[in-house]
Amino acid sequence: AAHGAAVVAARLALTRGAACSTISFCTVGLPGALAKHGQIFYEITLKRVGKYPQIGWATPGFAPDGDNGVGDDALSWAADGARRSLWHKGERPWSVSWRDDDVVGCAADIEKGSVWFGLNGVWVAAFEGEGKSWEQGVFPAMSGQHTHFSLNATPRFAGPSPSFVNVAPPDEQPQLLHHEPGLLYLSKDAIIAE
């Protein structure tokens, strides 16, 4: 918790294979990986599922605050395997459940406006017809509390089909988009920089 005040306006820099742990609810994203065309995906390893792990996509203009994270508004889409919910402008039931050490994939076909979520390489369609909302592109975004995850720069599994391309290159640095006091970021490879 002592680190929370030091990172209020911090940029999170993750080196290859680094991990993020949160105590309070926070949101991180990869706005530098914004994609405007094509079939794209990324994956993370959930070291600890924690509370409220909302993992998915956001568009420019996404501005999480308070208890609102990925999927809580009209500019983001997320899956939550802890509460078995899908999120976009609210919550709806979802049958998939995540466990510690699962690999979670997020895929999007920007032209078709479709989103898939993968669990250990098995993909399920989640949202359709979102293309008009993506005219400015989408980027990976994740929210959570008591969640520990690592971004897989080299995916362990393929996307929903061979045409999907990983948009989380090893040199991309996730940015802290919002946090409540109490953020704790732990990794021997991680850097917190103001």
Side-chain angles (χ1 to χ4, degrees):
H3 291 95
V7 296
V8 171
R11 175 178 169 88
L12 268 172
L14 295 181
T15 59
R16 186 180 182 110
C20 180
S21 291
T22 66
I23 289 176
S24 62
F25 189 77
C26 76
T27 299
V28 296
L30 293 158
L34 180 73
K36 295 184 178 184
H37 304 285
Q39 296 176 317
I40 58 174
F41 82 104
Y42 73 96
E43 71 176 30
I44 64 168
T45 298
L46 281 172
K47 303 291 185 182
R48 182 172 40 157
V49 175
K51 295 181 180 179
Y52 323 121
Q54 294 170 220
I55 300 166
W57 299 100
T59 60
F62 171 61
D65 62 9
D67 291 334
N68 291 320
V70 181
D72 289 328
D73 65 0
L75 299 176
S76 59
W77 298 257
D80 175 344
R83 292 178 285 179
R84 297 176 56 167
S85 299
L86 292 173
W87 295 88
H88 175 62
K89 299 188 282 190
E91 179 181 14
R92 72 176 206 225
W94 190 45
S95 63
V96 178
S97 181
W98 297 334
R99 295 186 318 243
D100 292 353
D101 297 317
D102 278 342
V103 175
V104 175
C106 301
D109 182 323
I110 296 174
E111 280 72 30
K112 290 184 179 177
S114 302
V115 174
W116 293 265
F117 293 104
L119 175 59
N120 300 318
V122 178
W123 293 90
V124 177
F127 298 100
E128 299 287 336
E130 300 293 335
K132 290 187 186 231
S133 301
W134 296 350
E135 292 174 354
Q136 295 181 6
V138 296
F139 62 88
M142 301 126 249
S143 298
Q145 181 176 0
H146 298 286
T147 301
H148 180 95
F149 66 86
S150 61
L151 180 67
N152 297 346
T154 302
R156 290 180 50 198
F157 300 101
S161 75
S163 58
F164 281 76
V165 177
N166 179 26
V167 293
D171 60 344
E172 177 61 30
Q173 297 181 354
Q175 296 178 19
L176 181 64
L177 302 177
H178 175 77
H179 84 283
E180 294 296 311
L183 171 71
L184 181 60
Y185 187 73
L186 303 171
S187 174
K188 66 182 181 75
D189 298 322
I191 302 164
I192 296 179
E194 294 186 57

